Amino acid sequence: MNAQMMQMPLLVSSIMTHAARYHGDTEIVSQTVEGTVHRYTYAEASRRTQALANVLARLDIGPGDRVGTLAWNGFRHLELYYAVSGIGAVVHTLNPRLFSEQIAWIINHARDTVVFFDLSFLSLVEAVAPQCPSVRHWIVMTDKAHMPANSSGKLLCYEDLISAEPQHYDWPDLPETTASGLCYTSGTTGNPKGVLYSHRSTVLHALACIQPDVMNISARDVVLPAVPMFHVNAWGLPYSALMVGAKLVLPGPNLDGASLHQLCDDEGVTLSAGVPTVWLGFRQHLQKTQSKPST
């Protein structure tokens, strides 16, 4: 006997749709590689994510295809989290702290078809690209004004691609067991090993994170994930924050104690997450300046 409740699959795209519909005015604040602070709302993020889904379709990215990212915690990386998974492809977050030989091996093992990367990792991409025959396009996550001068048309510009597409996309109803994300281990005991996340596991993990006995996140919070989006999905915070409508603050490449302290105070951060090394640097800065967080 089937129940009478709706049979809605647990999909990553539904989180973004929910955030835009019920928390559309909530801010996402990002420190960018270019040095500026970028601000927009969940509603604007949703529209750009739909435009990005159209970009992926135009690049012939389909269900099951792996899309690599080499990026810090920023608004464009967030858009990739949702657009790639939303169309049924797999967002493959690459860890730039690995050796270039390992990164090339991982890209080839995953058979990534496209790789998006921040300007910070241009030299790394130049080193690994000749070794990665499966990658059809390398896309720089920046605007036209900051594109590398010597790209010679071999690199595509993220903002140019986004601006050329309509900001509407009908997210498909996927089986919730569909793979949504891929993350590789560091390979300390041999070659790295890939771990596939499903839509269902991602949504349930985000739902668990917001509970009172875990991170206790609500719409009243301002959340800063210092743990990287390029590894272990930033502990699910890019999903949890949107699920509840919390303001999201993304630090980009600026993870030193002074930068984090300034960003936390400027944006009123109430909850952050990071590895011990990050907080040791934060604590050392507070001790050196004889200060403490205001929020």
Side-chain angles (χ1 to χ4, degrees):
M1 179 185 295
N2 291 325
Q4 294 177 321
M5 296 296 100
M6 60 183 177
Q7 301 296 316
M8 181 179 178
L10 302 178
L11 300 178
V12 166
S13 57
S14 66
I15 301 176
M16 176 63 81
T17 300
H18 170 83
R21 182 177 296 159
Y22 296 106
H23 304 282
D25 293 335
T26 301
E27 267 194 319
I28 301 170
V29 182
S30 297
Q31 292 272 14
T32 68
V33 172
E34 296 86 353
T36 58
V37 176
H38 179 272
R39 296 175 184 275
Y40 69 167
T41 64
Y42 282 158
E44 291 168 312
S46 176
R47 290 192 291 270
R48 280 176 54 91
T49 299
Q50 292 175 74
L52 180 55
N54 287 312
V55 168
L56 296 169
R58 190 171 295 277
L59 294 176
D60 199 27
I61 303 299
D65 287 339
R66 276 73 70 199
V67 175
T69 67
L70 273 165
W72 300 104
N73 293 13
F75 71 99
R76 295 184 182 106
H77 206 176
L78 185 77
E79 291 164 2
L80 282 161
Y81 262 42
Y82 284 93
V84 175
S85 299
I87 69 169
V90 182
V91 59
H92 175 202
T93 54
L94 293 154
N95 187 344
R97 292 175 177 153
L98 299 178
F99 296 114
S100 60
E101 295 82 4
Q102 284 183 316
I103 293 173
W105 187 92
I106 290 170
I107 290 173
N108 289 328
H109 187 264
R111 297 181 183 176
D112 291 339
T113 54
V114 178
V115 174
F116 291 80
F117 66 96
D118 272 335
L119 281 169
S120 303
F121 307 118
L122 177 61
S123 60
L124 177 58
V125 165
E126 289 173 340
V128 303
Q131 307 171 53
C132 302
S134 68
V135 180
R136 302 195 303 266
H137 304 288
W138 297 86
I139 301 172
V140 192
M141 295 163 67
T142 191
D143 54 26
K144 189 173 183 178
H146 292 91
M147 282 293 289
N150 58 350
S151 63
S152 304
K154 296 179 181 179
L155 301 176
L156 300 178
C157 175
Y158 185 97
E159 291 299 332
D160 282 357
L161 294 172
I162 287 276
S163 63
E165 297 296 336
Q167 295 188 332
H168 175 77
Y169 185 89
D170 292 323
W171 301 112
D173 285 331
L174 307 166
E176 60 183 25
T177 53
T178 301
S180 63
L182 176 61
C183 185
Y184 275 71
T185 64
S186 60
T188 53
T189 57
N191 286 326
K193 298 169 180 64
V195 178
L196 274 172
Y197 305 107
S198 69
H199 282 261
R200 176 181 172 83
S201 70
T202 300
V203 173
L204 289 178
H205 181 266
L207 188 62
C209 284
I210 66 177
Q211 300 305 308
D213 288 335
V214 187
M215 294 188 186
N216 194 29
I217 305 171
S218 78
R220 296 184 295 274
D221 281 306
V222 180
V223 177
L224 188 155
V227 63
M229 291 173 68
F230 59 68
H231 199 246
V232 295
N233 285 344
W235 295 344
L237 287 173
Y239 304 108
S240 298
L242 270 71
M243 186 176 280
V244 299
K247 177 180 174 180
L248 187 61
V249 180
L250 300 169
N254 305 316
L255 295 173
D256 60 283
S259 296
L260 285 175
H261 183 206
Q262 185 69 50
L263 188 59
C264 286
D265 280 6
D266 288 349
E267 301 302 331
V269 171
T270 61
L271 183 146
S272 187
V275 297
T277 306
V278 167
W279 301 126
L280 285 171
F282 189 85
R283 181 171 178 266
Q284 288 165 2
H285 166 74
L286 296 181
Q287 290 176 327
K288 183 178 178 179
T289 57
Q290 296 186 334
S291 56
K292 59 183 179 180
S294 64
T295 61

